[in-house]
Amino acid sequence: MLPFLIRRTFGAVVILVLLSAFTFFVFFAAGDPATMSCGKNCTADNIALIHQNLGLDKPLPQQYWDFLSGIFVGRDYSVGHCNAPCFGYSFATKQDVWATMMDRVPTTASLAIGGVVVFLTIGLGAGLLAAWKRGTILDKAVTGASMVLSSVQIYILGPIALGLFVYSGLMASPKYVPITENPFGWFMGLLLPWVVMATIFTAQYTRMSRSAMIEQLQEEHVRTAKAKGMPARYVFLRYAWRGSLIPIVTILGMDLGSLFGGAMITEFTFSLAGIGRLAVNSVVTLDLPMVLGVLIFSAALILVFNIIVDAAYAFIDPRVRLS
């Protein structure tokens, strides 16, 4: 397992370096960052000063090296020393990019983790129940509901949920409250966004877990276990369940990027100040350091989650470690 994880980690680091280089050269070679940083009514002297302060008068490869090394050892700017991990200062707010992102991470992390828990719990539970009761009214009801819900999008369901539950007075407006300060407030503040964001994923995982479980129930080793007289519930949970997890774990790893996109739309719908909303605002204001920082940070998170999923996949199916 260890060599497998080392290979995956090394590959993730290479991908991250290539991604950071690509985004840096695209952003900083496409235009003059000093002009974007200076804003309106900017003089030539101010632009020249920004070039000097940001190191924009150096060759582009040197600028990238300064940026990359600053992430690990920090970097000096005219406004002071930026401690590692340093992604520079925002053009729009003049605040430390890393500190700004860390202020937003708890909101997005709470939203994403809660959404995963909701759609895995409901989706897998409903899918397994439908497979267990295959051909019954319950199976048809679950399958039909998942097909309907899979066609719903967050930007449609979100306003409907706000109208039904928030504007009618049944629930308070969604907001983020730190779980360390008020666990109940944290739960109630994010409950509606969790349900809305998880809806489309729940439908997908219900169908997938149902089909995976039905396929596993047709496998020879499962039928052999039944033929030996083992209880059907034990065979279902002990043999078929583990085999059905393999495609689900694989899809979950690929869905992490989609989950981040879903969190971004959900943050906008419910006015939550998370990483996704920060990314969109940064793009609108051409805040290059913030856009670059969010992209690299998001990519690193997705790669870490993919390594965790690969490790889980290798644990479930040891043949993966050899490939």
Side-chain angles (χ1 to χ4, degrees):
M1 177 67 83
L2 184 60
F4 173 79
L5 292 178
I6 292 176
R7 287 200 308 272
R8 293 291 293 118
T9 304
F10 178 75
V13 171
V14 171
I15 292 173
L16 205 56
V17 171
L18 292 175
L19 177 66
S20 67
F22 177 77
T23 51
F24 183 89
F25 285 110
V26 167
F27 287 158
F28 282 77
D32 184 8
T35 304
M36 301 178 190
S37 172
C38 199
K40 297 179 179 178
N41 304 320
C42 189
T43 66
D45 290 339
N46 287 338
I47 291 179
L49 182 60
I50 293 173
H51 270 268
Q52 183 180 358
N53 290 338
L54 296 181
L56 301 177
D57 50 351
K58 300 177 183 177
L60 202 55
Q62 180 64 44
Q63 292 181 42
Y64 173 67
W65 173 251
D66 290 342
F67 170 79
L68 197 61
S69 59
I71 296 176
F72 299 98
V73 300
R75 189 175 173 186
D76 290 323
Y77 288 92
S78 59
V79 295
H81 181 72
C82 176
N83 295 320
C86 175
F87 287 87
Y89 289 92
S90 164
F91 286 170
T93 64
K94 311 303 178 188
Q95 300 296 315
D96 188 309
V97 169
W98 177 255
T100 303
M101 289 194 298
M102 291 303 102
D103 286 341
R104 305 295 188 98
V105 164
T107 303
T108 301
S110 297
L111 193 59
I113 293 172
V116 170
V117 171
V118 171
F119 77 66
L120 283 184
T121 302
I122 299 177
L124 297 188
L128 295 181
L129 187 61
W132 177 257
K133 300 292 184 182
R134 184 183 182 189
T136 64
I137 295 177
L138 178 63
D139 176 27
K140 295 176 181 177
V142 170
T143 305
S146 66
M147 293 181 67
V148 172
L149 291 177
S150 64
S151 62
V152 178
Q153 297 299 320
I154 295 175
Y155 52 81
I156 296 175
L157 187 61
I160 294 175
L162 283 173
L164 290 177
F165 297 101
V166 177
Y167 300 149
S168 64
L170 292 176
M171 295 180 67
S173 182
K175 64 179 179 180
Y176 172 73
V177 177
I179 189 173
T180 53
E181 296 179 4
N182 185 352
F184 182 73
W186 171 81
F187 178 81
M188 292 304 297
L190 294 175
L191 180 58
L192 196 58
W194 284 338
V195 173
V196 169
M197 189 177 73
T199 297
I200 55 174
F201 292 100
T202 299
Q204 174 187 350
Y205 280 80
T206 296
R207 296 199 312 274
M208 187 167 52
S209 59
R210 177 185 178 276
S211 61
M213 179 57 81
I214 290 175
E215 183 178 340
Q216 283 298 313
L217 290 173
Q218 307 302 320
E219 291 289 333
E220 187 175 347
H221 67 284
V222 176
R223 288 189 280 114
T224 301
K226 288 181 179 178
K228 288 183 177 180
M230 292 184 181
R233 184 172 301 177
Y234 177 80
V235 174
F236 188 85
L237 297 176
R238 176 66 178 83
Y239 296 102
W241 165 240
R242 181 166 180 168
S244 69
L245 283 179
I246 294 175
I248 295 172
V249 171
T250 305
I251 298 299
L252 178 62
M254 293 188 290
D255 275 346
L256 291 176
S258 302
L259 186 66
F260 183 78
M264 185 183 301
I265 299 173
T266 308
E267 288 170 9
F268 258 93
T269 303
F270 295 100
S271 300
L272 298 172
I275 285 286
R277 195 174 181 186
L278 176 67
V280 175
N281 289 337
S282 302
V283 170
V284 172
T285 58
L286 297 177
D287 191 352
L288 297 188
M290 192 64 74
V291 173
L292 195 56
V294 171
L295 277 176
I296 295 175
F297 178 72
S298 304
L301 275 183
I302 291 173
L303 288 172
V304 169
F305 287 141
N306 277 324
I307 291 175
I308 294 174
V309 170
D310 284 347
Y313 194 17
F315 175 76
I316 296 171
D317 186 355
R319 293 172 299 178
V320 176
R321 303 173 200 171
L322 302 176
S323 61

